[in-house]
């Protein structure tokens, strides 16, 4: 295979600190090459070097003709045929698809291209993706998250990109949307585009990658074909320790205790008679295909969606009129899947985010509230240089731990989490797993969903399998993630 991009002893230092050191990787034409590693391992620095955001402190980047690429800006990278589809898309909701795709393209001079020219350019790029549903005239704010991803790819293709970097492209997508995006990436691969793919979702990587490069502590650990890896080998290379250490020990079955959450015959959006019981000390996983009910049930229990019939009881007492306030008064906590839009308070500090629930419920005085929040932050080992920093300055894993700390302040009876480790690196995932087991061991009931079947299988005491809005099977035996994938698909 032809080499499209070579990194030769590439490194980047910030003062005396080396974020990346002597990394050499050869990216081939028409391959999907996955980059994996913990947050802080050096992946982001590597991407920024390839994309022209940073200039190398050592080494070189070699293009397809064997010449060194000296890229001082992202625009230099684009003109060299290297594009990036960022996790946070650089699109404007108030503009059309065609206008977004046209932004930044130099047509020679200051004259804005005509609407017809912009539409033609957008149509050509979308056709390259075999995408007919998205129209150039559509307003970006009116299309789905997965469609926005495709618009971002089309924008890169207008620069005739031969190498495209995808940075956590499915972190904000549901399973169906992610599958659609991966199909488009496979198409790009089939026409000779080189894909550099960065994701924390190992299952996704195994489904799409040809080769995997593992970065740890700023150095390249290994580059091998995907066939030579499995989940355990990747995790071992990323962390330097075995996957058995990632998950807390399981004890199945656990002793029978009080039923803390009792859901009976709940009907509502995506639900058609959902029923379940969760006892104190349990971690119960809700599994199923997209829109089969698990995430929707959590929203109904917390009062974000309203059931048309059925009952929800906490410690034997019906919640009554469903609302988040009523759920919180019953000591029910909920972490949504979309941490950025529905979880964190982005303009506020780490401390204020941890205090938010206690403050909203007027549960304690200011000093008591601060002390409880500080205690929860310490217990969960939230890593921050200052609790007064904005929460957006933290990694995804530490943001998520801050949100869990917010709920620990009120000592929940039931803690519900919708895909709690989405967009979180392996190391932070392990910390969250042990935190959740500790919460369950303290007497709470923990209920969660996940897009990661390994997580569903290894973290839970029981798995409840959903189909068409209700529980159709309970799995209490040890099950591999591959067996669970088959069970979910069969449902």
């Amino acid at each position: 295979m032809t080499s499209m991009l070579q990194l030769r002893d590439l490194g980047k230092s910030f003062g005396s600190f080396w974020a990346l050191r002597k990394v050499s990787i050869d990216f081939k034409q028409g391959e999907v090459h996955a980059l994996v590693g913990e947050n802080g391992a050096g992946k982001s620095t590597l991407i920024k070097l390839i994309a022209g955001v940073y200039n190398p402190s050592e080494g070189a980047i070699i293009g397809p003709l064997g010449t060194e690429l000296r890229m001082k800006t992202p625009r230099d990278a684009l003109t060299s045929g290297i594009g990036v589809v960022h996790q946070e898309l650089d699109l404007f909701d108030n503009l059309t698809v065609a206008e977004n795709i046209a932004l930044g393209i130099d047509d020679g001079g200051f004259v804005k291209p005509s609407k017809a020219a912009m539409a033609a350019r957008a149509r050509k790029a979308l056709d390259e993706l075999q995408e007919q549903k998205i129209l150039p005239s559509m307003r970006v704010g009116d299309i789905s998250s997965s469609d926005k991803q495709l618009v971002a790819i089309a924008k890169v293709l207008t620069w005739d990109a031969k190498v495209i970097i995808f940075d956590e492209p499915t972190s904000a997508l549901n399973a169906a949307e992610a599958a659609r995006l991966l199909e488009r990436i496979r198409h790009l691969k089939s026409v000779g585009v080189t894909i550099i793919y960065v994701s924390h979702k190992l299952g996704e990587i195994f489904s799409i990658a040809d080769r995997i490069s593992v970065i740890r502590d700023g150095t390249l650990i290994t580059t091998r074909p995907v066939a030579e890896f499995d989940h355990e080998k990747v995790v071992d290379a990323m962390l330097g320790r075995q996957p058995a250490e990632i998950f807390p020990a399981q004890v199945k079955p656990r002793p029978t205790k009080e039923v803390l959450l009792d859901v009976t015959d709940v009907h509502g959006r995506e639900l058609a008679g959902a029923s379940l019981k969760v006892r104190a000390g349990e971690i119960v996983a809700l599994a199923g295909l997209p829109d089969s009910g698990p995430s929707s049930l959590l929203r109904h229990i917390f009062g974000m969606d309203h059931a048309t019939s059925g009952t929800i009881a906490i410690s034997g007492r019906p919640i009554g009129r469903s609302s988040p306030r009523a759920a919180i008064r019953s000591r029910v906590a909920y972490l949504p899947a979309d941490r950025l839009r529905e979880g964190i308070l982005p303009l506020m500090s780490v401390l204020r985010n941890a205090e938010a629930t206690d403050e909203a419920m007027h549960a304690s005085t200011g000093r008591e509230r601060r002390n409880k929040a500080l205690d929860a932050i310490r217990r969960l080992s939230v890593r921050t240089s200052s609790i007064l920093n904005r929460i957006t300055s933290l990694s995804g894993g530490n943001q998520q731990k801050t949100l869990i700390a917010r709920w620990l302040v009120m000592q929940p009876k039931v803690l519900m989490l919708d895909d709690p480790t989405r967009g979180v690196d392996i190391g932070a995932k392990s910390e969250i797993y042990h935190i959740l087991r500790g919460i369950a061991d303290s007497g709470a009931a923990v209920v969660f969903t996940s897009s990661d079947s390994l997580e569903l299988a290894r973290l839970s005491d029981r798995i409840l399998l959903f189909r068409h809005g209700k529980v159709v099977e309970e799995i209490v035996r040890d099950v591999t993630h591959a067996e669970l994938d088959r069970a979910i698909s069969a449902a």
Side-chain angles (χ1 to χ4, degrees), residues 8-169:
R8 293 183 182 170
D9 292 328
L10 200 63
K12 179 64 180 176
S13 65
F14 298 92
S16 61
F17 171 69
W18 284 89
L20 204 70
R21 204 76 211 264
K22 295 190 180 304
V23 170
S24 296
I25 305 175
D26 189 4
F27 299 101
K28 305 291 188 181
Q29 182 179 22
E31 77 164 344
V32 177
H33 195 123
L35 288 180
V36 300
E38 291 188 90
N39 285 344
K43 301 190 308 296
S44 295
T45 302
L46 185 60
I47 290 170
K48 288 175 180 176
L49 287 168
I50 298 171
V53 177
Y54 292 156
N55 296 319
S57 302
E58 65 177 5
I61 301 174
I62 309 300
L65 300 179
T67 56
E68 183 175 350
L69 302 179
R70 298 183 180 275
M71 301 174 294
K72 297 185 181 300
T73 66
R75 190 179 184 87
D76 290 342
L78 277 169
T79 56
S80 299
I82 302 170
V84 184
V85 178
H86 296 281
Q87 183 176 0
E88 300 298 326
L89 301 177
D90 53 347
L91 300 176
F92 295 89
D93 283 351
N94 60 319
L95 300 181
T96 66
V97 168
E99 288 168 337
N100 269 281
I101 289 174
L103 279 175
I105 294 177
D106 184 7
D107 285 318
F110 297 97
V111 178
K112 179 183 176 182
S114 67
K115 286 187 177 181
M118 288 192 290
R121 180 184 289 125
R123 186 69 271 157
K124 180 176 182 293
L126 291 166
D127 286 345
E128 286 184 53
L129 285 171
Q130 298 184 326
E131 180 51 56
Q132 301 298 318
K133 188 182 76 172
I134 302 172
L135 304 178
S137 59
M138 289 176 168
R139 182 177 167 273
V140 164
D142 296 331
I143 64 178
S144 68
S145 296
S146 57
D147 284 349
K148 288 179 182 178
Q149 288 278 6
L150 296 176
V151 171
I153 299 170
K155 184 175 180 178
V156 168
L157 289 176
T158 60
W159 288 85
D160 196 27
K162 301 302 183 187
V163 177
I164 302 179
I165 302 169
F166 288 87
D167 185 9
E168 297 286 352

Side-chain angles (χ1 to χ4, degrees), residues 458-487:
R458 296 288 290 273
L459 180 61
S460 63
D461 299 311
R462 291 187 292 134
I463 303 168
L464 302 180
L465 194 60
F466 276 69
R467 181 175 62 208
H468 303 319
K470 61 183 179 181
V471 177
V472 294
E473 183 180 350
E474 178 181 84
I475 301 173
V476 293
R477 63 181 175 83
D478 288 333
V479 62
T480 68
H481 64 89
E483 291 172 331
L484 183 56
D485 280 335
R486 288 193 290 271

Side-chain angles (χ1 to χ4, degrees), residues 385-406:
S385 58
S386 170
I387 57 170
L388 301 180
N389 288 344
R390 280 191 183 180
I391 192 170
T392 48
S393 70
L394 304 185
S395 68
N398 282 297
Q399 289 180 17
Q400 196 73 324
K401 287 196 288 182
T402 302
L403 295 184
I404 297 173
R406 175 191 295 173

